[in-house]
Amino acid sequence: AAAAAAAASPLSSSAPAAFGTASKGSRRAVAVIAAGQGALDTRESGRSNAKSTAKQGQEQQQQQLRQPQQQGQNDGAGKYCRFPEYLPQEQLQIMFKRGLAFRGRFRVNAGDRNEAYITIPGLPHDCMLRGERAQNRAMEGDEVAVQLLPVSHWFKNYSKLPEGTKEKGLDIKDVAPWRDAQNPEQALEAVNWAVDQAPPKALRICGQVVAILEHSSRREQLVGVIQADTSGRMVGGSLLHFFVPLSPTMPTCVVAATSVRGLSEELKAEAACPPGDDTASRTLISARIVSWGVNNDAPLVELRQGLGQAGEIETETAAILEIEGIRRDDFSSEVEACLPPTPWIGITPEDLQFRRDFRNARVFSIDPPTARDLDDAMHVEPVEGVPGRWRVGVHIADVSHFIPPDSALDEEAQERATSVYLVQRVIPMLPRLLCEELCSLNPGTPRFSFSVEWEMDEEGRIYSQWAGKSVICSSAKLAYPMVQAMIEGRFDPAECSAQLYGDQPWDKIVQDCLTLNKIAQALRAARFASGAVRLDNVRVAFGLDTNGNPVSCGQYVQQEANKLVEEFMLLTNISVAKIISAAFPDRALLRNHVRPQQNKMDELLALCQAHGIHMDISSSGALQASLNILRETCNDQGVIDAITMMATRPMQLAKYFCTGDFPDPDDWRHYALALPEYTHFTSPIRRYPDLVVHRLLSAAIEVQQQQQLLQQQAVNTDAIARKHRLMDTPRTTYVAEHCNEKRLTARNAQDASLKLYLCCLLRRAPVVTEAIVTNVGGNRFFDVYLTSYGMSTRIQVDQQGVDLDSQWSDTTRTLTLQLKNSFSTNGCGNGGGSTTANGAAPVGKQPNGQTRRKGFGNNSQADKNKQQGGPAEKYGAWLESLPALSNPLLLSPVSFPLTVKLFEHLPVIATSPLQPGKISQIVCRLLLHSKDYTPNVPPPPPDSLQPLVPTQEASPPATPAAAAALTASAAAGSAAVPSTAAAAAAEEAGGFSIPYAELFND
């Protein structure tokens, strides 16, 4: 009966049982795990099926190809299996060729783990994998094979269907019209036809996982907490324990008995605390998934190591790095042995024989104030005898000189692929001897470099170009604020702490910067005139105290000085991309950016049109022009920021690729930059692809030289490639894919670090801030964008701490909220206070910053009930639990009835409750009118309120460098390097964050 019910409901919505529930499924899992049952490997599953005659085998195979697998099925012995077996590789290959199965990357909806998706090129939207059986033990990041379900099993949005439509009432004669396809193109055409038979957005294509082609590295990188089974069940002689991952995309797991026996008594006592006890301490633990068999409700994990107590910055930082799989260990002795001996002998006469000497040129670097790895510098000088012509050089650290291919150092750099910039420190790709000393273009010291020099005019027109290895000696280390002051005409050398070398005068340095800025402006204008687009979202920076805790926050602003450097780094990357792709079209490492997802761009267009906003999505240039018009005509900066954020959502990731995999150069294009080819060359200290490109350029220069010597004769590029030990096409492809993955994990870690510090700041100093509504999800929730912090969050209607009546209008797309009763008659009498005139709210602040009741902010049992769908914590009690609330923008509370619609400005209270064993999250609630609750404490005097940015007495005063750092930003070829320790950060610049790498702004 159970098997029949499962077969009748192929998209079961049942979620795995909670770890405290003794369900039948969990008892089955315990029994199987106790017996030592393991998961079946993808490539081995299905091979133990009983053999039959050739004719029977063919008939069975054809039947399997035409029909989706049953969600619950019997094995060969007639025993019911919770999950289907994976299909064998031989059968999968046939299905791939015919378009009966598709491969894709498994992605889980973090808000609802019951839903997962894969992207299938050629379909109008992502394929949904709905229910645990349809997901069939796949996990976030796995590469999976998916078979589409018949149309009758697709998810239906009945609000988009004609009234009275039954489950199978669509006018589709064949429930799976693609089953007779002979190739993927025919299958996709049939699927699209089926989608078109229903009204727009009425059907969501659904499928099921039939095999896991490649396991995600995230299976090895789990971080979470352990929880003992409350019913006291035993496994292998030990109490059953569950592992609850921090990531909502990963399932609850069962801890292997061997790992349970190795737990300390402290951890066992901690795990025995009831799941709802949020005041209990929780140790974050790393783990790896061992197996997940067809009869197991949950995967089996082995514990690795404890990371520390949840809620601490360093512990959560370690958890971030562990989840993203980022190497943070010291470099091995084998790697250190590859470094040159110290003291370094320096540049020898032999080195100069093959390098152009720029040591007498007025070269200087421009970086953030605290930068240590200076990997780029510039110079400019007039061309003699040609008025209006300039010789401009960009010089990049020659890291390849110190890293032989395939050495231990090279392999380590390739594995790390990128430096990772966190708020409080950097995790370098290379040992510090290289990135901060021998390769860093420090002033006053001769350094190896790789240079590109152009002869151009002030309009940016290029007349000649040279590229090659060189030697420079930088005259000065300039900072962005310093160069910005030069551009604005307020630079005073007497107040500048930078030292000049080589007897260079300040007036010449200033004139060089002004000349470069004028050329950069022309280059930028020409680039955007050619169709480039740039979407800059709000980014935040933090000030840290001497203990490394965040004490202030500000927006990270890009100025003309940043754009100056950015333009010349872009020009360098463009020039190098042309050289290496022409010399080695079979193995060049480039970077492309495909067009955005059209269906999401159409949604953006429809949204803007519905609100009277002009938007042209026909090209990158048209999109940029539309955003420019918006900035000129709209006087609401919050709306501008929100639409810019929405415009980034359809954008796909820019990626590294090997040109040998894409014979058609049209596939090399970069959508955002509107370029036919592009690469990364300017940051070899912190990006491994740049190091690869340096080697390619060195070989390509030799190809050019041979072409000049041989003229019409063909050049043996393969011989030159072998001489320079270049990677072949397959290995270049592998490195490109690896670097794409590592770049994404680094960006995730950087984003998580920024969010962690913002949560810590808001936990200590909650604030009333402005939010822009970016989506209204019916009468249940609405999404908002916090303009001051560049963060998005969701506000649930039933979690506001008051009884609200919500009415959704599908016609006007608005949500109306109305109080059912006043707060005082609803038992909220012991609430907090109102916002005072000076912008602070005296809501339950006690001496020494303690709150009135036991617990952590809104992390009480009442709030736990709220998260599980029960009654929300009352608003007044929640306010009372918070530290003093600041209102720096002097925002007024909302009034009821409240109409919530797109782009509406709402005042919200932003904080981040401490939830042991859980990821820090920003929580927002509406700022309600003071008459709607009864304060039980008098307002404190204004001078006793805790401001968002602490006073001089509360924190050491920020240095000028810190203030300057808060208004600087990273340029395309250079990123700021934060201090390597919190104390150093406070000493140097008060600490500040690095803006995360953007999705496509290269």
Side-chain angles (χ1 to χ4, degrees):
S9 304
L11 288 183
S12 172
S13 60
S14 60
F19 52 70
T21 305
S23 64
K24 292 182 179 179
S26 59
R27 285 196 292 271
R28 265 200 319 275
V30 172
V32 172
I33 291 172
Q37 177 74 21
L40 294 177
D41 184 85
T42 304
R43 293 170 176 80
E44 296 177 358
S45 63
R47 296 182 180 178
S48 60
N49 294 336
K51 294 183 179 180
S52 59
T53 64
K55 182 176 180 180
Q56 290 175 332
Q58 293 174 358
E59 292 176 352
Q60 181 181 20
Q61 185 180 66
Q62 289 299 320
Q63 183 70 13
Q64 290 176 331
L65 291 177
R66 293 170 64 89
Q67 296 182 0
Q69 286 185 288
Q70 295 294 320
Q71 298 303 313
Q73 61 183 14
N74 294 333
D75 62 9
K79 181 180 177 182
Y80 176 77
C81 297
R82 182 166 180 78
F83 295 101
E85 297 275 9
Y86 294 138
L87 298 182
Q89 287 294 311
E90 296 81 358
Q91 185 174 338
L92 286 174
Q93 294 306 317
I94 298 174
M95 297 175 71
F96 287 146
K97 290 179 180 179
R98 290 187 53 187
L100 302 182
F102 301 91
R103 65 175 68 225
R105 193 66 63 179
F106 188 82
R107 310 190 314 275
V108 178
N109 180 358
D112 182 3
R113 205 186 170 280
N114 191 52
E115 295 179 354
Y117 302 89
I118 71 162
T119 298
I120 301 176
L123 294 185
H125 53 253
D126 289 342
C127 174
M128 176 188 287
L129 309 168
R130 192 162 181 258
E132 60 178 5
R133 291 191 178 93
Q135 296 173 13
N136 196 9
R137 296 167 287 156
M139 296 189 189
E140 177 74 20
D142 284 349
E143 186 180 4
V144 297
V146 168
Q147 185 178 18
L148 300 187
L149 294 173
V151 177
S152 58
H153 294 85
W154 287 4
F155 179 79
K156 301 170 184 64
N157 184 356
Y158 283 97
S159 65
K160 303 295 183 181
L161 289 171
E163 187 174 353
T165 301
K166 300 298 183 181
E167 182 178 355
K168 297 183 181 179
L170 298 177
D171 186 19
I172 300 178
K173 297 179 180 179
D174 195 334
V175 294
W178 55 87
R179 65 186 180 184
D180 294 323
Q182 298 302 311
N183 55 62
E185 291 74 19
Q186 292 180 4
L188 292 172
E189 183 179 358
V191 176
N192 282 301
W193 175 86
V195 173
D196 292 339
Q197 302 311 298
K201 299 184 179 180
L203 288 177
R204 163 73 78 167
I205 301 168
C206 290
Q208 61 182 4
V209 174
V210 294
I212 297 178
L213 306 176
E214 181 181 359
H215 284 168
S216 167
S217 59
R218 294 189 177 277
R219 290 171 174 257
E220 303 286 324
Q221 301 159 189
L222 270 65
V223 174
V225 296
I226 54 174
Q227 181 67 52
D229 179 42
T230 56
S231 64
R233 289 172 293 171
M234 306 294 289
V235 176
S238 301
L239 179 65
L240 175 65
H241 283 69
F242 295 92
F243 180 85
V244 186
L246 292 182
S247 172
T249 64
M250 302 301 287
T252 298
C253 308
V254 174
V255 180
T258 53
S259 292
V260 173
R261 288 193 288 269
L263 291 175
S264 66
E265 293 303 319
E266 291 80 5
L267 283 177
K268 289 182 179 179
E270 179 183 303
C273 294
D277 185 3
D278 282 340
T279 63
S281 62
R282 294 290 181 183
T283 300
L284 298 184
I285 298 174
S286 64
R288 61 180 293 268
I289 290 177
V290 178
S291 63
W292 193 352
V294 293
N295 290 317
N296 298 121
D297 280 8
L300 185 71
V301 299
E302 289 180 348
L303 304 183
R304 283 181 164 174
Q305 62 177 340
L307 302 177
Q309 288 295 315
E312 298 177 359
I313 287 180
E314 287 305 317
T315 297
E316 294 205 24
T317 297
I320 290 170
L321 298 176
E322 183 73 23
I323 290 172
E324 298 301 334
I326 294 173
R327 286 195 178 186
R328 58 187 185 276
D329 300 332
D330 293 336
F331 291 93
S332 66
S333 57
E334 292 80 7
V335 172
E336 297 285 352
C338 297
L339 299 176
T342 53
W344 182 47
I345 60 174
I347 297 173
T348 65
E350 291 75 15
D351 294 326
L352 294 174
Q353 293 180 7
F354 306 101
R355 293 177 179 268
R356 181 173 289 190
D357 194 346
F358 287 99
R359 288 179 295 178
N360 292 326
R362 195 163 47 247
V363 177
F364 51 84
S365 60
I366 305 175
D367 292 281
T370 56
R372 293 182 179 179
D373 53 351
L374 313 181
D375 49 14
D376 62 87
M378 294 179 287
H379 85 273
V380 59
E381 59 187 21
V383 177
E384 295 182 4
V386 186
R389 294 276 185 93
W390 300 90
R391 190 170 287 111
V392 178
V394 171
H395 312 279
I396 308 300
D398 186 6
V399 179
S400 62
H401 177 82
F402 297 94
I403 306 180
D406 301 322
S407 63
L409 177 56
D410 182 51
E411 292 175 355
E412 179 69 16
Q414 180 184 129
E415 177 60 32
R416 298 193 178 207
T418 179
S419 296
V420 181
Y421 294 90
L422 307 176
V423 171
Q424 75 274 41
R425 63 177 176 271
V426 61
I427 301 175
M429 182 183 77
L430 300 175
R432 298 194 181 278
L433 176 63
L434 292 182
C435 63
E436 295 181 6
E437 296 183 39
L438 302 185
C439 294
S440 183
L441 305 182
N442 299 324
T445 306
R447 287 288 182 256
F448 292 126
S449 57
F450 222 141
S451 303
V452 181
E453 187 180 50
W454 308 271
E455 184 178 321
M456 59 174 61
D457 58 24
E458 293 183 351
E459 299 300 320
R461 288 186 288 266
I462 297 175
Y463 298 94
S464 65
Q465 173 182 288
W466 174 88
K469 295 195 172 186
S470 59
V471 175
I472 68 167
C473 185
S474 176
S475 302
K477 176 189 174 184
L478 306 183
Y480 287 125
M482 192 185 309
V483 176
Q484 187 63 33
M486 296 177 187
I487 294 172
E488 297 174 0
R490 52 181 176 81
F491 175 73
D492 185 356
E495 298 179 357
C496 180
S497 60
Q499 181 179 354
L500 296 183
Y501 295 83
D503 297 326
Q504 298 290 352
W506 272 114
D507 60 334
K508 295 291 187 181
I509 296 288
V510 172
Q511 186 57 50
D512 288 350
C513 290
L514 295 178
T515 300
L516 288 172
N517 187 56
K518 187 173 183 179
I519 299 174
Q521 289 176 333
L523 290 171
R524 187 177 183 84
R527 194 161 55 82
F528 282 105
S530 298
V533 61
R534 185 176 182 91
L535 305 178
D536 285 321
N537 294 323
V538 174
R539 296 170 290 185
V540 294
F542 297 95
L544 309 180
D545 62 19
T546 54
N547 295 318
N549 296 312
V551 294
S552 61
C553 177
Q555 291 191 7
Y556 206 88
V557 181
Q558 187 182 50
Q559 297 181 298
E560 283 296 308
N562 307 94
K563 297 175 182 179
L564 182 163
V565 176
E566 178 182 29
E567 288 306 317
F568 284 106
M569 297 304 111
L570 285 170
L571 180 61
T572 305
N573 289 333
I574 295 168
S575 302
V576 171
K578 293 178 180 178
I579 296 173
I580 63 173
S581 60
F584 298 105
D586 62 327
R587 67 183 79 200
L589 182 65
L590 299 186
R591 187 165 172 82
N592 71 342
H593 180 224
V594 300
R595 293 183 60 85
Q597 301 177 57
Q598 189 59 44
N599 61 320
K600 294 184 179 180
M601 290 295 285
D602 291 339
E603 292 175 2
L604 173 66
L605 176 62
L607 181 148
C608 291
Q609 290 177 340
H611 290 80
I613 298 173
H614 170 76
M615 185 61 61
D616 186 347
I617 62 171
S618 59
S619 66
S620 56
L623 177 61
Q624 182 68 46
S626 299
L627 294 173
N628 291 341
I629 294 173
L630 178 66
R631 296 184 184 101
E632 294 170 359
T633 58
C634 181
N635 57 6
D636 190 332
Q637 186 60 43
V639 171
I640 296 172
D641 291 341
I643 292 179
T644 302
M645 181 271 296
M646 292 177 178
T648 65
R649 291 176 176 172
M651 298 296 166
Q652 304 194 58
L653 292 173
K655 294 183 177 181
Y656 300 108
F657 71 98
C658 176
T659 53
D661 296 327
F662 299 92
D664 187 355
D666 286 342
D667 296 329
W668 303 355
R669 292 193 60 83
H670 196 292
Y671 171 84
L673 296 176
L675 294 171
E677 59 265 314
Y678 185 72
T679 194
H680 275 169
F681 170 80
T682 53
S683 296
I685 291 178
R686 62 185 178 92
R687 291 190 305 226
Y688 187 76
D690 300 54
L691 177 57
V692 174
V693 172
H694 275 230
R695 294 166 178 163
L696 281 163
L697 180 59
S698 180
I701 292 172
E702 183 171 341
V703 170
Q704 290 181 337
Q705 294 171 346
Q706 290 291 330
Q707 289 173 341
Q708 293 175 356
L709 290 174
L710 300 177
Q711 295 182 353
Q712 301 299 325
Q713 298 181 33
V715 176
N716 190 343
T717 57
D718 289 339
I720 295 176
R722 288 192 297 270
K723 173 184 175 182
H724 288 264
R725 301 171 67 181
L726 299 183
M727 298 182 296
D728 59 13
T729 300
R731 188 176 175 189
T732 303
T733 300
Y734 166 79
V735 169
E737 293 175 350
H738 175 74
C739 291
N740 287 330
E741 180 180 349
K742 287 298 183 179
R743 183 175 174 87
L744 181 59
T745 59
R747 182 176 66 85
N748 291 341
Q750 290 163 188
D751 288 351
S753 180
L754 287 170
K755 185 176 180 180
L756 169 61
Y757 273 75
L758 180 58
C759 287
C760 291
L761 182 62
L762 294 178
R763 185 177 302 144
R764 300 169 61 189
V767 63
V768 177
T769 187
E770 185 177 66
I772 303 293
V773 178
T774 57
N775 177 50
V776 183
N779 61 356
R780 298 180 297 109
F781 66 87
F782 52 94
D783 297 327
V784 296
Y785 180 70
L786 306 181
T787 56
S788 297
Y789 305 109
M791 296 280 184
S792 296
T793 188
R794 174 163 292 180
I795 295 180
Q796 300 285 349
V797 172
D798 63 350
Q799 296 179 8
Q800 296 308 295
V802 294
D803 292 328
L804 293 174
D805 180 60
S806 58
Q807 297 293 331
W808 165 252
S809 172
D810 193 52
T811 303
T812 61
R813 311 294 295 175
T814 59
L815 171 65
T816 302
L817 301 178
Q818 177 65 59
L819 283 172
K820 291 183 178 179
N821 297 290
S822 67
F823 281 61
S824 57
T825 60
N826 258 326
C828 294
N830 293 329
S834 62
T835 304
T836 59
N838 69 345
V843 285
K845 183 68 179 179
Q846 297 297 299
N848 300 322
Q850 298 176 353
T851 54
R852 284 188 173 273
R853 63 180 180 82
K854 184 178 179 180
F856 300 93
N858 68 348
N859 194 38
S860 64
Q861 184 59 46
D863 206 67
K864 183 71 175 179
N865 293 338
K866 171 202 70 177
Q867 296 172 8
Q868 297 175 350
E873 184 181 23
K874 294 304 182 180
Y875 191 83
W878 176 71
L879 279 178
E880 186 179 347
S881 72
L882 300 178
L885 189 66
S886 65
N887 188 352
L889 300 178
L890 300 179
L891 299 176
S892 301
V894 300
S895 298
F896 293 101
L898 174 65
T899 300
V900 180
K901 58 185 179 181
L902 205 62
F903 302 134
E904 186 78 11
H905 291 248
L906 295 175
V908 298
I909 299 174
T911 185
S912 179
L914 181 62
Q915 302 182 71
K918 297 182 180 179
I919 297 175
S920 295
Q921 297 287 349
I922 297 173
V923 173
C924 289
R925 288 187 179 182
L926 294 170
L927 176 65
L928 303 183
H929 201 281
S930 58
K931 70 179 181 180
D932 295 325
Y933 58 87
T934 305
N936 65 343
V937 292
D943 57 0
S944 69
L945 301 175
Q946 180 183 2
L948 176 63
V949 180
T951 60
Q952 184 169 340
E953 290 74 17
S955 175
T959 63
L966 290 174
T967 59
S969 74
S974 174
V977 180
S979 304
T980 56
E987 178 182 351
E988 280 194 12
F992 73 102
S993 74
I994 303 305
Y996 55 82
E998 301 205 19
L999 294 179
F1000 57 91
N1001 288 339
D1002 272 321

